[in-house]
Amino acid sequence: SFRSPPLGRQICTYKTVTIRPSGMNAGDAPRQAVSVEDLTPEIKSFLSQSGMKQGVIHVISRHTTTAITINERESRLARDVEEFFLKICPPDERSSTPKKVSGVRYLHNDIDQRPDGEEEAERCRENGWNIDDADELQKWRDQEPINAHSHLISMMLGSSECIPVVDGEMVIGQWQSVLLVDLDGPRTRSVGLQMMGFG
């Protein structure tokens, strides 16, 4: 019969991790490109430091134009990911990316029409933008990227993963990695890691 191992001390800890994109120099502007970063080494390090033996790791993106997924980290596959998703959700013809597609337009990218209603206006205020001032409103609009396609792809991929931990190791396959997919970058991003379990 099955017997579970004795449980040690309870562990519940959270950490925000800053992910600097590979292949990007300091000061480079985002290119509205799709890039894939391997989070697995960072997660394994956090797991080791925590001492957790049994439990679960929750990984969540802290951005609306990134995604978290589990798959193989391989450079040619990363390029396939970009090509595949940009065929499904091509960039708006007004986008700054060279992959923009003539005739494609998204409502989200009608920056001059935003915020659209009081609820959206309140979210802007809550995030530090005094959009009631005409100059501040224009500053907010000027910094908004033409990136609806990135939001849509992020919704398809998902923003989080939950990974079991058994005997101090993540339960993932030999070729699997936990990946951050930046859909509007590359740029420095943050990811939340939470561990819950027993040491």
Side-chain angles (χ1 to χ4, degrees):
S1 71
F2 175 77
R3 288 187 60 193
S4 63
L7 299 176
R9 66 180 170 85
Q10 284 188 322
I11 295 173
C12 182
T13 185
Y14 176 87
K15 174 181 178 179
T16 299
V17 178
T18 300
I19 306 299
R20 289 177 175 69
S22 53
M24 186 176 181
N25 300 315
D28 285 356
R31 301 181 309 274
Q32 287 199 314
V34 175
S35 60
V36 178
E37 301 294 334
D38 189 353
L39 303 176
T40 311
E42 187 75 39
I43 298 169
K44 283 183 174 180
S45 174
F46 185 40
L47 176 58
S48 175
Q49 292 168 14
S50 77
M52 188 169 75
K53 300 298 181 196
Q54 313 296 331
V56 67
I57 302 170
H58 300 275
V59 183
I60 186 164
S61 165
R62 307 270 315 239
H63 306 276
T64 58
T65 58
T66 62
I68 303 293
T69 192
I70 296 176
N71 214 300
E72 183 176 359
R73 172 64 179 116
E74 192 271 324
S75 58
R76 296 176 69 83
L77 180 59
R79 293 197 303 267
D80 289 337
V81 166
E82 178 175 32
E83 292 303 316
F84 176 79
F85 281 108
L86 291 184
K87 284 179 185 170
I88 294 172
C89 283
D92 192 300
E93 65 184 0
R94 298 166 286 179
S95 173
S96 63
T97 178
K99 297 189 179 209
K100 61 187 171 188
V101 176
S102 179
V104 172
R105 293 176 77 90
Y106 299 99
L107 296 174
H108 175 75
N109 295 336
D110 295 335
I111 306 296
D112 63 320
Q113 305 290 314
R114 294 173 50 204
D116 186 15
E118 187 52 36
E119 180 185 339
E120 290 178 21
E122 188 56 34
R123 278 200 306 273
C124 291
R125 291 182 199 104
E126 289 170 358
N127 282 289
W129 290 97
N130 179 15
I131 58 163
D132 301 307
D133 175 274
D135 291 337
E136 281 292 305
L137 175 60
Q138 191 57 50
K139 283 182 191 174
W140 174 74
R141 287 176 173 163
D142 290 344
Q143 61 84 43
E144 277 290 290
I146 305 294
N147 65 355
H149 69 286
S150 302
H151 290 279
L152 295 169
I153 298 168
S154 174
M155 289 179 207
M156 285 190 280
L157 285 170
S159 62
S160 65
E161 289 286 351
C162 184
I163 305 143
V165 173
V166 175
D167 296 331
E169 300 288 335
M170 289 191 294
V171 181
I172 58 176
Q174 176 182 354
W175 292 99
Q176 288 182 317
S177 293
V178 184
L179 305 172
L180 170 70
V181 183
D182 191 339
L183 302 157
D184 191 26
R187 58 175 120 175
T188 300
R189 299 296 199 158
S190 60
V191 171
L193 304 178
Q194 184 179 46
M195 298 197 182
M196 299 177 70
F198 298 90

